[in-house]
């Protein structure tokens, strides 16, 4: 025997996209769930590619942007997540941010978490989607522990392209349980039924979590509260979930580097803004940044060309 611990028998598959507003609004519940399952599951992200290369360009980009900005605001009204005061444009493609997010996984879980978070914040806080390679790399500059030159090389590699291509395909093979979803028992505005694709197939609605264990699997699509995810875990693997006590806001900010208002309420004790945090105002409440994060964050700092 090697003496190494056995890999977790439970896998959590998160179908997502860095530029999806529902996925952004689900971050508080997902952060709480990851903390409650830390070290006991394998958490794997699958990038579904919400904005694809072959999507037709809008005939009127300004009108399309105005419509999409209203849509994001409507989503944020349900989730409580921040959204940008002004959206620069509708994303041209999810591929650059997905490739960068996937490549960041090669530098460890903490780096990957923070890189993905930055990519989300670039569009939903700053209002500029990271839809080119240069913008995606600029978005993650300054993430602690991140080697930007290595990231750029990995994101451009054939291997990472193959991984994201496989992710896109996997997201278009949804489990049967999500095909017939029309309404959510909890009245969620985003029940999460599988979406039709341009190719005539179906893909997971974003976000969707699929919990897989030797005893079977559970799929939880759409926007759901933390308790719904916890119930799915308990139903599949009783006793696996170990919900941590809410953290002091300053401790939570040190860990996560950025917190939305809903995250302050869900993840910390008392729901107080962290001391010494830098407040970034949005059209739907503040984003709280660690001072070191604020110094390099796209929403607060001017950035130059990627890699410098």
């Amino acid at each position: 025997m090697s003496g190494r611990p056995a890999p977790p028998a439970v896998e959590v598959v998160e179908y997502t996209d860095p530029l999806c507003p529902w996925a952004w609004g689900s971050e508080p519940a997902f952060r709480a769930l990851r903390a409650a399952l830390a070290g006991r599951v394998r958490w794997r992200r699958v990038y579904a590619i919400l904005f694809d290369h072959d999507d037709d360009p809008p005939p009127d980009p300004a009108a399309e942007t105005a419509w999409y900005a209203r849509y994001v605001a409507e989503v944020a009204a349900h989730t409580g997540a921040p959204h940008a005061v002004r959206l620069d444009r509708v994303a041209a493609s999810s591929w650059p941010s997905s490739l960068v997010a996937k490549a960041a996984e090669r530098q460890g879980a903490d780096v990957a978490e923070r890189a993905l978070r930055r990519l989300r914040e670039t569009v939903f806080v700053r209002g500029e989607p990271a839809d080119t390679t240069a913008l995606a790399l600029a978005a993650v500059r300054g993430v602690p522990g991140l080697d930007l030159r290595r990231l750029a090389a990995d994101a451009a590699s054939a291997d990472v392209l193959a991984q994201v291509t496989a992710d896109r395909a996997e997201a278009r093979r949804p489990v049967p349980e999500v095909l017939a979803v029309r309404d959510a028992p909890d009245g969620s505005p985003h029940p999460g039924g599988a979406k039709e694709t341009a190719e005539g197939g179906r893909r997971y609605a974003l976000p969707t979590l699929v919990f897989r264990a030797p005893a079977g699997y559970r799929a939880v699509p759409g926007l759901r509260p933390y308790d719904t995810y916890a119930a799915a875990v308990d139903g599949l693997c009783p006793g696996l979930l170990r919900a941590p006590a809410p953290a002091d806001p300053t401790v939570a900010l040190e860990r996560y580097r950025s917190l939305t208002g809903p995250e302050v309420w869900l993840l910390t004790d008392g729901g107080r803004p962290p001391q010494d945090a830098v407040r970034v105002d949005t059209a739907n409440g503040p984003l709280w940044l660690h001072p070191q994060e604020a110094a390099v964050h796209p929403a607060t700092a001017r950035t130059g060309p990627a890699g410098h």
Side-chain angles (χ1 to χ4, degrees):
M1 296 180 63
S2 66
R4 296 178 180 177
V10 178
E11 180 183 57
V12 183
V13 187
E14 177 187 349
Y15 295 92
T16 192
D17 187 289
L19 308 180
C20 172
W22 290 110
W24 166 237
S26 297
E27 278 285 276
F30 287 3
R31 278 183 160 181
L33 188 64
R34 285 195 293 271
L37 293 171
R40 291 178 295 283
V41 302
R42 177 193 180 206
W43 192 295
R44 179 170 63 91
R45 287 195 176 96
V46 174
Y47 292 101
I49 307 297
L50 182 61
F51 300 97
D52 217 337
H53 284 323
D54 56 0
D55 290 345
D56 293 331
D60 186 340
E64 182 78 0
T65 298
W67 172 86
Y68 193 69
R70 290 192 298 271
Y71 172 71
V72 171
E74 290 171 1
V75 172
H78 292 295
T79 66
H83 70 85
V85 173
R86 178 184 176 275
L87 182 65
D88 183 72
R89 64 189 180 280
V90 179
S93 173
S94 292
W95 282 93
S97 58
S98 298
L99 289 166
V100 165
K102 183 65 72 174
E105 294 176 1
R106 300 182 171 207
Q107 299 190 36
D110 287 344
V111 167
E113 290 290 335
R114 290 173 174 173
L116 176 57
R117 177 71 173 210
R118 284 279 199 88
L119 292 163
R120 298 196 196 281
E121 289 169 346
T122 300
V123 58
F124 297 115
V125 176
R126 190 178 183 184
E128 184 175 12
D131 57 358
T132 69
T133 299
L135 287 173
L137 292 173
V140 301
R141 182 185 291 106
V143 165
L146 176 70
D147 182 332
L148 192 61
R149 293 186 183 277
R150 176 187 170 190
L151 181 72
D154 286 342
S157 70
D159 191 27
V160 169
L161 175 60
Q163 287 181 289
V164 177
T165 300
D167 278 3
R168 181 188 179 280
E170 180 180 341
R172 283 153 180 78
R173 297 191 298 270
V175 296
E177 288 82 353
V178 304
L179 298 178
V181 172
R182 296 292 180 269
D183 300 300
D186 58 7
S188 170
H190 182 43
K195 303 292 185 180
E196 294 185 5
T197 67
E199 302 94 336
R202 296 287 188 92
R203 68 159 172 82
Y204 284 104
L206 307 179
T208 292
L209 294 189
V210 177
F211 303 91
R212 297 186 181 276
Y217 68 85
R218 299 283 191 280
V220 185
L223 180 71
R224 294 290 187 275
Y226 171 84
D227 288 347
T228 300
Y229 298 113
V233 173
D234 284 338
L236 192 61
C237 298
L240 183 67
L241 200 70
R242 300 175 189 171
D248 177 272
T250 301
V251 173
L253 188 66
E254 185 71 31
R255 174 181 179 180
Y256 291 114
R257 308 284 290 191
S258 74
L259 293 167
T260 65
E263 287 168 338
V264 169
W265 280 104
L266 183 62
L267 302 176
T268 73
D269 53 0
R272 307 182 312 277
Q275 291 184 350
D276 301 324
V278 175
R279 175 176 175 140
V280 178
D281 288 312
T282 78
N284 195 44
L287 178 75
W288 302 100
L289 296 178
H290 189 284
Q292 293 175 358
E293 180 72 4
V296 292
H297 195 281
T300 55
R302 297 183 63 85
T303 56
H308 296 269

